[in-house]
Amino acid sequence: RLNERCGLRLVDFDQIEGVPFFHIRALAADQSLKTAASERIVPIHKALLELGLLIYVDRLRAAGENRLFPSLQPGPRGHLSHQPSKFFGRLIDRMVGEDSSVVFHSFRHTFITKMREAGVAREVRTALVGHEDDSTHEGYGTEPMTRLNAGIQAVEWKGLDLAPVRLNLG
């Protein structure tokens, strides 16, 4: 969910068992969750690590910032996702046409599909994307970090060139 990502705080980045992750939660007034199941820990995909995400986080911390995207301002409804939502909407319109049903949320649907195609267990997919589980007994306990991380890392984006957005590490 775009607003969850836009509201990430630097304190939301940590690691468990050597696995870096971000914590989706509502600590501040401009952070919100859709449901109780939306609060979750999400391991960071290796592609984001290779792009320098954690180095960027460290640089922001050193600069005294507290948000991952410090320049974002709340929109008319108080959501930090207002500007990015408009940006991605215009970008998608240019790339696939204004009459398309593709929206930013389509990335979420695609990610869930990619996890399913990679054989990631349903309960892991559910935990990673913050969905409610419709089975009472399946909702007890939490998924171990090793399973969550394996689920994230199983998703591959063949042919996607991320070099243009790589952090300049020099």
Side-chain angles (χ1 to χ4, degrees):
R1 298 180 183 110
L2 183 58
N3 200 52
E4 292 173 349
R5 301 309 182 272
C6 291
L8 282 172
R9 299 294 196 266
L10 302 181
V11 298
D12 294 325
F13 288 81
D14 204 345
Q15 60 178 285
I16 295 174
E17 301 169 8
V19 177
F21 69 89
F22 55 86
H23 194 162
I24 303 292
R25 55 189 169 180
L27 293 177
D30 58 6
Q31 291 178 301
S32 62
L33 299 175
K34 186 174 178 180
T35 68
S38 297
E39 182 170 337
R40 62 203 183 276
I41 288 174
V42 181
I44 300 172
H45 193 278
K46 59 190 168 204
L48 292 175
L49 296 173
E50 291 168 6
L51 290 174
L53 176 62
L54 294 181
I55 294 168
Y56 174 70
V57 167
D58 287 342
R59 288 181 183 176
L60 288 172
R61 285 178 175 147
E65 298 289 351
N66 65 7
R67 291 194 346 230
L68 182 62
F69 303 107
S71 64
L72 291 181
Q73 298 299 314
R77 295 185 185 170
H79 298 294
L80 291 170
S81 60
H82 179 75
Q83 293 169 316
S85 179
K86 297 279 186 200
F87 168 81
F88 280 107
R90 288 189 294 269
L91 179 64
I92 290 168
D93 286 349
R94 282 197 316 265
M95 294 179 76
V96 297
E98 291 182 24
D99 296 332
S100 170
S101 62
V102 175
V103 295
F104 186 85
H105 201 71
S106 300
F107 293 120
R108 179 180 172 83
H109 293 202
T110 301
F111 180 70
I112 293 167
T113 299
K114 290 282 214 179
M115 283 194 295
R116 188 175 53 247
E117 290 171 352
V120 176
R122 180 176 180 264
E123 59 272 14
V124 173
R125 295 190 317 259
T126 300
L128 288 170
V129 299
H131 279 166
E132 298 279 347
D133 194 311
D134 58 359
S135 169
T136 303
H137 70 278
E138 289 295 332
Y140 293 125
T142 57
E143 288 298 322
M145 179 56 81
T146 53
R147 284 192 78 198
L148 294 175
N149 191 43
I152 287 287
Q153 305 311 329
V155 175
E156 294 185 8
W157 304 92
K158 299 208 186 292
L160 179 62
D161 180 14
L162 296 174
V165 296
R166 186 175 313 277
L167 181 65
N168 180 356
L169 303 176

